[in-house]
Amino acid sequence: MAIIDESRGVLVVRIVYDGPALSGKTTSLRALARGVSSRVECPEELGGRTLFFDWVDYVGGLFEGRQIRCQIVSVPGQRELSHRRKLLLESADVVVLVLDTRRAEWDFALGWVRETVPYCRAQDPPVGLVLQANKRDASDAVPREEMRDSLNRIAPVAVVPSAATTGEGIREAFVLAVRLALDRVRALSATGRLLVGRPSEDRALELLERMRAAEDRAQPMNESLARSVVSALDAELTPWHQAREVEVEAAAGGVDPTDERSFVPDPMMPGGMIWPPVDGRALLHEVASLRIRPARTGRADWCGSGSGFRFHSFGHAVFADLPSARNDLIEWARQHSANAAHLSTGRAVILADAGRGRLRLWQIVRADDSLRERLAAAVGLADPRQVASEISGIALRLALARESFAEASVDLPCTLWTVAAAGSSRPNFVGLMPYHVNSRAPEPAGSALIERELTPHLRELRRSRVDYEEVGAELVSLAELGSSQAAVHWLAQIVEQL
Amino acid sequence: MPSEKQLSETLEKIQNDTSGFIAASLVDLDSGMTLAVKASRSDFDLTAASAYNSELVKQKLKIMRTLGLTGTIEDMLITLSDQIHLVKLVSPGTFLYLAVDKKQSNLAIVRNAVNKHAAALV
């Protein structure tokens, strides 16, 4: 739906207020309209019930120099009008799901969440979702903790408490929705899919005409049926509610608790779940289209790689609640920041939905070439002197990296796989960032490190190259020529001992 | 450290005490991550603003080290043509970032509101 209307110099986005009947969508829009000095248009309603949609037009804020025009619409909540709801959801840049949080309605509301979350995530780019937990002023409202627990079991979605009748929380939900809509606009823009032109529906009546035309084409809507829908609303809710309860119980009984949702990079995720806050989101946009799907390894870690990126999550980095997950995210982000001078660029730490209310901490790392790749290229060189020079350079860089990593506040493994092949005189760490302090043996230094990393490769070189003697002689000669670098001498000693 | 809910409530109090309030966040200095946020305008990217301001504070600390200054930063004020941005260090590792509309507020109001509630953010 998002479109740049060049003739008016505005960006048009559509914010769709979704939710069950009587959850407070129209009341929310009325409160919002009062707050932004606008008015609600309702093309058709019956007995206070929306039959097509409510519409609020609001212009405010700036996006890349253009004013933002928000077409704010609410859907009809009755199940029998779900075809109209579907049509409106298809045009959404962000969805605000208004839920009735009173005890009697809560399970029913959760059914809508289960239905709407996958729909929003399946769109390309995904449509942002804000849960507006309404009727918080009711005496029988579900306690906040219980509400969050229930929602977290479905998905970690932004929740804004509200009381639409008093206007509390309405503006906060709207502001968050606009922000998510703009995230989607950025994703569309980055992939060249942001439309330019006049919006297909510029006014409420135009949208009404389009919806009627769509119904005429598909299945003409009998107005008397619509009326009977509204009058029979109470009877409608009960059986659906009961059916959802049965579904939920069945799902809870039949799912393996160890089962986890696979990681799918979501550039639309809330800001507090990504580090670095700005570059991390840009990285997510980059990797979102790569279709990398990590798999679980034998050590229970999750790994995935391809197209120049690696995704990884340690097996135990899964959390049952958002506060503890955020604490670990921030702690790990601090470690990354504190050691930025040692780390390769192109890294992000992400808190992602792991399913069943859990969150998993991921790292995404751009796969820069390591010394291992440089060594693989070196042993294929034809000239033995060049081979020796490269191996010598690799040993020097490894030793330098060990000295540099020793200054880091975390124990960075120093191997051929974790040291950058090229770059500054101070080699970067290109491996996966360690998570928490573990019981790894202390990293060797000096000749022990060179021996551990290069001896197997020198043995393989001796076995595979007919001119190995020339390579070895060159390595010894480099040391004899008076190199001041200790690593070159350690390498020569290894060659002589082989 | 207060919970995220308590931090958000404190930011809300700052919002209530500050006319022309645009946005406020409590930010982890090392990582630039927001610990709590409050905004009244949709076009204000508070996540990005917080991250960039953490770089600003870190650069200022670096300058102070270079100059051999041993004092600490209390706050940093940036006056734009239409906004006031205040960065208040509330602990060695966190700062409060506040943006207000200059037409509707002034520095005295901003500092008063911040100083009144800053202690609750630690």
Side-chain angles (χ1 to χ4, degrees), chain B residues 2 6 8 10-11 13 19-20 31 33-34 42 44 49 55-56 66 89 91 106 108 110:
Chain B
Q6 291 166 321
S8 295
T10 304
L11 293 186
K13 286 176 187 166
S19 50
S31 64
M33 292 287 286
T34 52
S42 57
F44 199 91
E55 294 303 318
L56 188 71
T66 306
L89 275 286
S91 78
N106 62 49
V110 172

PDB file of all heavy atoms in Angstrom, chain B residues 2 6 8 10-11 13 19-20 31 33-34 42 44 49 55-56 66 89 91 106 108 110:
ATOM      1  N   PRO B   2      16.546  -0.394  38.220  1.00  0.00           N
ATOM      2  CA  PRO B   2      15.082  -0.540  38.153  1.00  0.00           C
ATOM      3  C   PRO B   2      14.675  -1.395  36.950  1.00  0.00           C
ATOM      4  O   PRO B   2      15.425  -1.509  35.989  1.00  0.00           O
ATOM      5  CB  PRO B   2      14.590   0.907  37.987  1.00  0.00           C
ATOM      6  CG  PRO B   2      15.741   1.766  38.339  1.00  0.00           C
ATOM      7  CD  PRO B   2      16.976   0.988  38.072  1.00  0.00           C
ATOM      8  N   GLN B   6       9.599   0.183  35.474  1.00  0.00           N
ATOM      9  CA  GLN B   6       9.849   1.334  36.355  1.00  0.00           C
ATOM     10  C   GLN B   6      10.543   2.467  35.599  1.00  0.00           C
ATOM     11  O   GLN B   6      10.228   3.645  35.782  1.00  0.00           O
ATOM     12  CB  GLN B   6      10.704   0.910  37.551  1.00  0.00           C
ATOM     13  CG  GLN B   6       9.958  -0.007  38.521  1.00  0.00           C
ATOM     14  CD  GLN B   6      10.894  -0.680  39.512  1.00  0.00           C
ATOM     15  OE1 GLN B   6      12.005  -1.087  39.161  1.00  0.00           O
ATOM     16  NE2 GLN B   6      10.456  -0.801  40.751  1.00  0.00           N
ATOM     17  N   SER B   8      10.317   3.070  32.413  1.00  0.00           N
ATOM     18  CA  SER B   8       9.341   3.689  31.510  1.00  0.00           C
ATOM     19  C   SER B   8       8.431   4.640  32.278  1.00  0.00           C
ATOM     20  O   SER B   8       8.055   5.703  31.775  1.00  0.00           O
ATOM     21  CB  SER B   8       8.496   2.618  30.824  1.00  0.00           C
ATOM     22  OG  SER B   8       9.303   1.848  29.991  1.00  0.00           O
ATOM     23  N   THR B  10       9.257   6.323  34.906  1.00  0.00           N
ATOM     24  CA  THR B  10      10.030   7.541  35.197  1.00  0.00           C
ATOM     25  C   THR B  10      10.098   8.442  33.967  1.00  0.00           C
ATOM     26  O   THR B  10       9.950   9.665  34.065  1.00  0.00           O
ATOM     27  CB  THR B  10      11.449   7.166  35.668  1.00  0.00           C
ATOM     28  OG1 THR B  10      11.333   6.296  36.791  1.00  0.00           O
ATOM     29  CG2 THR B  10      12.247   8.398  36.052  1.00  0.00           C
ATOM     30  N   LEU B  11      10.301   7.827  32.813  1.00  0.00           N
ATOM     31  CA  LEU B  11      10.326   8.625  31.577  1.00  0.00           C
ATOM     32  C   LEU B  11       8.966   9.307  31.354  1.00  0.00           C
ATOM     33  O   LEU B  11       8.894  10.429  30.877  1.00  0.00           O
ATOM     34  CB  LEU B  11      10.685   7.753  30.378  1.00  0.00           C
ATOM     35  CG  LEU B  11      12.104   7.172  30.349  1.00  0.00           C
ATOM     36  CD1 LEU B  11      12.358   6.442  29.021  1.00  0.00           C
ATOM     37  CD2 LEU B  11      13.173   8.239  30.541  1.00  0.00           C
ATOM     38  N   LYS B  13       7.015  10.304  33.714  1.00  0.00           N
ATOM     39  CA  LYS B  13       6.957  11.456  34.631  1.00  0.00           C
ATOM     40  C   LYS B  13       7.718  12.630  34.032  1.00  0.00           C
ATOM     41  O   LYS B  13       7.293  13.787  34.134  1.00  0.00           O
ATOM     42  CB  LYS B  13       7.557  11.072  35.984  1.00  0.00           C
ATOM     43  CG  LYS B  13       6.648  10.170  36.810  1.00  0.00           C
ATOM     44  CD  LYS B  13       7.336   9.756  38.088  1.00  0.00           C
ATOM     45  CE  LYS B  13       6.495   8.710  38.830  1.00  0.00           C
ATOM     46  NZ  LYS B  13       7.250   8.042  39.879  1.00  0.00           N
ATOM     47  N   SER B  19       7.012  20.470  29.156  1.00  0.00           N
ATOM     48  CA  SER B  19       6.185  20.927  28.042  1.00  0.00           C
ATOM     49  C   SER B  19       7.020  20.821  26.757  1.00  0.00           C
ATOM     50  O   SER B  19       8.232  21.025  26.778  1.00  0.00           O
ATOM     51  CB  SER B  19       5.724  22.360  28.274  1.00  0.00           C
ATOM     52  OG  SER B  19       6.827  23.170  28.607  1.00  0.00           O
ATOM     53  N   GLY B  20       6.374  20.501  25.683  1.00  0.00           N
ATOM     54  CA  GLY B  20       7.079  20.359  24.406  1.00  0.00           C
ATOM     55  C   GLY B  20       7.866  19.064  24.300  1.00  0.00           C
ATOM     56  O   GLY B  20       8.727  18.929  23.427  1.00  0.00           O
ATOM     57  N   SER B  31      26.935   0.071  24.668  1.00  0.00           N
ATOM     58  CA  SER B  31      26.365  -0.572  23.484  1.00  0.00           C
ATOM     59  C   SER B  31      25.468   0.338  22.658  1.00  0.00           C
ATOM     60  O   SER B  31      25.168   0.028  21.508  1.00  0.00           O
ATOM     61  CB  SER B  31      25.550  -1.796  23.914  1.00  0.00           C
ATOM     62  OG  SER B  31      24.450  -1.408  24.711  1.00  0.00           O
ATOM     63  N   MET B  33      22.409   0.668  23.276  1.00  0.00           N
ATOM     64  CA  MET B  33      21.064   0.071  23.328  1.00  0.00           C
ATOM     65  C   MET B  33      20.168   0.875  24.269  1.00  0.00           C
ATOM     66  O   MET B  33      20.621   1.314  25.336  1.00  0.00           O
ATOM     67  CB  MET B  33      21.136  -1.363  23.853  1.00  0.00           C
ATOM     68  CG  MET B  33      21.815  -2.341  22.928  1.00  0.00           C
ATOM     69  SD  MET B  33      20.805  -2.758  21.503  1.00  0.00           S
ATOM     70  CE  MET B  33      19.592  -3.824  22.247  1.00  0.00           C
ATOM     71  N   THR B  34      18.905   1.019  23.902  1.00  0.00           N
ATOM     72  CA  THR B  34      17.970   1.710  24.784  1.00  0.00           C
ATOM     73  C   THR B  34      17.514   0.753  25.879  1.00  0.00           C
ATOM     74  O   THR B  34      17.224  -0.414  25.621  1.00  0.00           O
ATOM     75  CB  THR B  34      16.741   2.198  24.003  1.00  0.00           C
ATOM     76  OG1 THR B  34      16.191   1.106  23.278  1.00  0.00           O
ATOM     77  CG2 THR B  34      17.101   3.306  23.038  1.00  0.00           C
ATOM     78  N   SER B  42       5.849  10.373  16.024  1.00  0.00           N
ATOM     79  CA  SER B  42       6.131   9.178  15.229  1.00  0.00           C
ATOM     80  C   SER B  42       7.337   9.353  14.318  1.00  0.00           C
ATOM     81  O   SER B  42       7.946   8.383  13.887  1.00  0.00           O
ATOM     82  CB  SER B  42       4.908   8.833  14.393  1.00  0.00           C
ATOM     83  OG  SER B  42       4.568   9.944  13.586  1.00  0.00           O
ATOM     84  N   PHE B  44      10.178  10.653  15.020  1.00  0.00           N
ATOM     85  CA  PHE B  44      11.436  10.769  15.747  1.00  0.00           C
ATOM     86  C   PHE B  44      11.981   9.364  15.987  1.00  0.00           C
ATOM     87  O   PHE B  44      11.405   8.595  16.761  1.00  0.00           O
ATOM     88  CB  PHE B  44      11.199  11.490  17.084  1.00  0.00           C
ATOM     89  CG  PHE B  44      12.451  12.054  17.685  1.00  0.00           C
ATOM     90  CD1 PHE B  44      12.854  13.343  17.406  1.00  0.00           C
ATOM     91  CD2 PHE B  44      13.235  11.278  18.514  1.00  0.00           C
ATOM     92  CE1 PHE B  44      14.009  13.862  17.947  1.00  0.00           C
ATOM     93  CE2 PHE B  44      14.397  11.790  19.062  1.00  0.00           C
ATOM     94  CZ  PHE B  44      14.781  13.084  18.778  1.00  0.00           C
ATOM     95  N   ALA B  49      18.567   7.748  17.322  1.00  0.00           N
ATOM     96  CA  ALA B  49      19.064   8.921  18.043  1.00  0.00           C
ATOM     97  C   ALA B  49      19.843   8.495  19.287  1.00  0.00           C
ATOM     98  O   ALA B  49      20.909   9.050  19.587  1.00  0.00           O
ATOM     99  CB  ALA B  49      17.888   9.816  18.436  1.00  0.00           C
ATOM    100  N   GLU B  55      27.518   7.460  20.841  1.00  0.00           N
ATOM    101  CA  GLU B  55      28.807   7.724  20.182  1.00  0.00           C
ATOM    102  C   GLU B  55      29.299   9.125  20.543  1.00  0.00           C
ATOM    103  O   GLU B  55      30.487   9.356  20.762  1.00  0.00           O
ATOM    104  CB  GLU B  55      28.663   7.601  18.659  1.00  0.00           C
ATOM    105  CG  GLU B  55      28.354   6.199  18.177  1.00  0.00           C
ATOM    106  CD  GLU B  55      29.391   5.176  18.629  1.00  0.00           C
ATOM    107  OE1 GLU B  55      30.588   5.495  18.565  1.00  0.00           O
ATOM    108  OE2 GLU B  55      28.997   4.094  19.093  1.00  0.00           O
ATOM    109  N   LEU B  56      28.344  10.056  20.601  1.00  0.00           N
ATOM    110  CA  LEU B  56      28.682  11.447  20.948  1.00  0.00           C
ATOM    111  C   LEU B  56      29.310  11.514  22.345  1.00  0.00           C
ATOM    112  O   LEU B  56      30.342  12.154  22.548  1.00  0.00           O
ATOM    113  CB  LEU B  56      27.400  12.280  20.894  1.00  0.00           C
ATOM    114  CG  LEU B  56      27.517  13.785  21.040  1.00  0.00           C
ATOM    115  CD1 LEU B  56      28.158  14.368  19.805  1.00  0.00           C
ATOM    116  CD2 LEU B  56      26.127  14.400  21.231  1.00  0.00           C
ATOM    117  N   THR B  66      42.055  12.867  26.294  1.00  0.00           N
ATOM    118  CA  THR B  66      43.155  13.441  25.517  1.00  0.00           C
ATOM    119  C   THR B  66      43.650  14.734  26.146  1.00  0.00           C
ATOM    120  O   THR B  66      44.848  15.013  26.182  1.00  0.00           O
ATOM    121  CB  THR B  66      42.688  13.716  24.063  1.00  0.00           C
ATOM    122  OG1 THR B  66      42.154  12.515  23.542  1.00  0.00           O
ATOM    123  CG2 THR B  66      43.834  14.192  23.193  1.00  0.00           C
ATOM    124  N   LEU B  89      24.167  12.303  32.007  1.00  0.00           N
ATOM    125  CA  LEU B  89      24.777  11.065  32.504  1.00  0.00           C
ATOM    126  C   LEU B  89      24.159  10.749  33.859  1.00  0.00           C
ATOM    127  O   LEU B  89      24.298  11.534  34.798  1.00  0.00           O
ATOM    128  CB  LEU B  89      26.293  11.245  32.651  1.00  0.00           C
ATOM    129  CG  LEU B  89      27.203  11.021  31.442  1.00  0.00           C
ATOM    130  CD1 LEU B  89      27.332   9.537  31.123  1.00  0.00           C
ATOM    131  CD2 LEU B  89      26.796  11.798  30.223  1.00  0.00           C
ATOM    132  N   SER B  91      24.580   7.611  35.346  1.00  0.00           N
ATOM    133  CA  SER B  91      25.537   6.711  36.001  1.00  0.00           C
ATOM    134  C   SER B  91      26.735   6.619  35.051  1.00  0.00           C
ATOM    135  O   SER B  91      26.646   7.085  33.908  1.00  0.00           O
ATOM    136  CB  SER B  91      24.910   5.341  36.241  1.00  0.00           C
ATOM    137  OG  SER B  91      24.900   4.597  35.049  1.00  0.00           O
ATOM    138  N   ASN B 106      11.904  25.466  27.663  1.00  0.00           N
ATOM    139  CA  ASN B 106      13.178  26.162  27.751  1.00  0.00           C
ATOM    140  C   ASN B 106      14.128  25.315  28.599  1.00  0.00           C
ATOM    141  O   ASN B 106      13.724  24.325  29.224  1.00  0.00           O
ATOM    142  CB  ASN B 106      13.025  27.579  28.319  1.00  0.00           C
ATOM    143  CG  ASN B 106      12.477  27.566  29.732  1.00  0.00           C
ATOM    144  OD1 ASN B 106      12.967  26.825  30.590  1.00  0.00           O
ATOM    145  ND2 ASN B 106      11.451  28.374  29.977  1.00  0.00           N
ATOM    146  N   ALA B 108      15.585  25.723  31.400  1.00  0.00           N
ATOM    147  CA  ALA B 108      15.321  25.608  32.836  1.00  0.00           C
ATOM    148  C   ALA B 108      14.288  24.518  33.118  1.00  0.00           C
ATOM    149  O   ALA B 108      14.455  23.699  34.019  1.00  0.00           O
ATOM    150  CB  ALA B 108      14.829  26.952  33.375  1.00  0.00           C
ATOM    151  N   VAL B 110      13.570  21.987  31.199  1.00  0.00           N
ATOM    152  CA  VAL B 110      14.151  20.686  30.842  1.00  0.00           C
ATOM    153  C   VAL B 110      15.062  20.190  31.963  1.00  0.00           C
ATOM    154  O   VAL B 110      14.939  19.053  32.432  1.00  0.00           O
ATOM    155  CB  VAL B 110      14.938  20.807  29.516  1.00  0.00           C
ATOM    156  CG1 VAL B 110      15.711  19.528  29.241  1.00  0.00           C
ATOM    157  CG2 VAL B 110      13.986  21.106  28.369  1.00  0.00           C
TER     158      VAL B 110
END
